[in-house]
Amino acid sequence: MKISELAKRTGLSAHTLRYYEKVGLLEPSQRSESNYRMYNQDDVITAQFIMRSKECGFSLAETSSLLAIKNDKSQHVCAEAKQITQSKVIEIAEQIKKLKKMQATLSKLEKFCCGGQESAEFCSIISSLEKES
């Protein structure tokens, strides 16, 4: 199948699929005589794997490592995939912590602002953001 069919089957754009090829995540099974990329069902599975990895928050580098494990399971151990996943869980927990702190700060700023139509010269949000830490 050509890249347009792979795109249709996976929901990814042809541009994204070409990018995944450029960064080494996805290789076409073969090339046609006119040098078109040709894909097979295994490539559909790989593209879907990449898509699911992205939905889980894995970076392209992490996805590449997971693909290496997937593509040569006999040469890898489950602990490798678990370590990559554990690192991602820790990273996401840290991001959530930062986002909660941001939310609390923004809620505090929003609470003290009157939101009126008077001049922003006295806006508590702007004043708070202008202050040096």
Side-chain angles (χ1 to χ4, degrees):
M1 79 187 82
K2 290 185 179 177
I3 197 165
S4 59
E5 178 64 22
L6 180 61
K8 186 187 295 184
R9 287 190 186 192
T10 61
L12 296 168
S13 69
H15 176 75
T16 298
L17 293 167
R18 282 187 213 97
Y19 178 73
Y20 289 160
E21 179 183 352
K22 180 181 174 183
V23 298
L25 293 176
L26 180 67
E27 287 294 322
S29 300
Q30 56 188 5
R31 293 273 184 167
S32 69
E33 289 180 19
S34 51
N35 207 29
Y36 286 111
R37 295 167 176 87
M38 299 300 293
Y39 298 93
N40 62 26
Q41 186 57 35
D42 288 339
D43 299 319
V44 172
I45 291 167
T46 298
Q48 290 170 334
F49 183 95
I50 295 167
M51 196 168 67
R52 284 190 296 275
S53 294
K54 184 177 179 194
E55 289 169 357
C56 288
F58 290 112
S59 68
L60 292 180
E62 292 161 337
T63 298
S64 179
S65 296
L66 292 168
L67 273 171
I69 296 167
K70 171 195 166 295
N71 292 334
D72 198 3
K73 293 175 187 162
S74 66
Q75 297 300 311
H76 295 276
V77 294
C78 187
E80 293 172 78
K82 184 167 182 160
Q83 189 278 324
I84 294 166
T85 304
Q86 284 176 325
S87 293
K88 183 54 64 180
V89 168
I90 291 166
E91 180 184 318
I92 290 172
E94 290 170 3
Q95 289 174 344
I96 290 170
K97 186 177 174 182
K98 287 178 185 177
L99 287 170
K100 285 183 177 182
K101 184 177 178 183
M102 287 171 56
Q103 181 182 30
T105 300
L106 290 170
S107 292
K108 185 176 173 183
L109 288 173
E110 187 262 343
K111 180 181 176 184
F112 291 112
C113 180
C114 68
Q117 295 301 312
E118 53 278 333
S119 171
E121 290 179 59
F122 305 105
C123 178
S124 62
I125 294 173
I126 300 301
S127 296
S128 293
L129 293 172
E130 285 180 323
K131 291 179 184 173
E132 292 184 32
S133 310

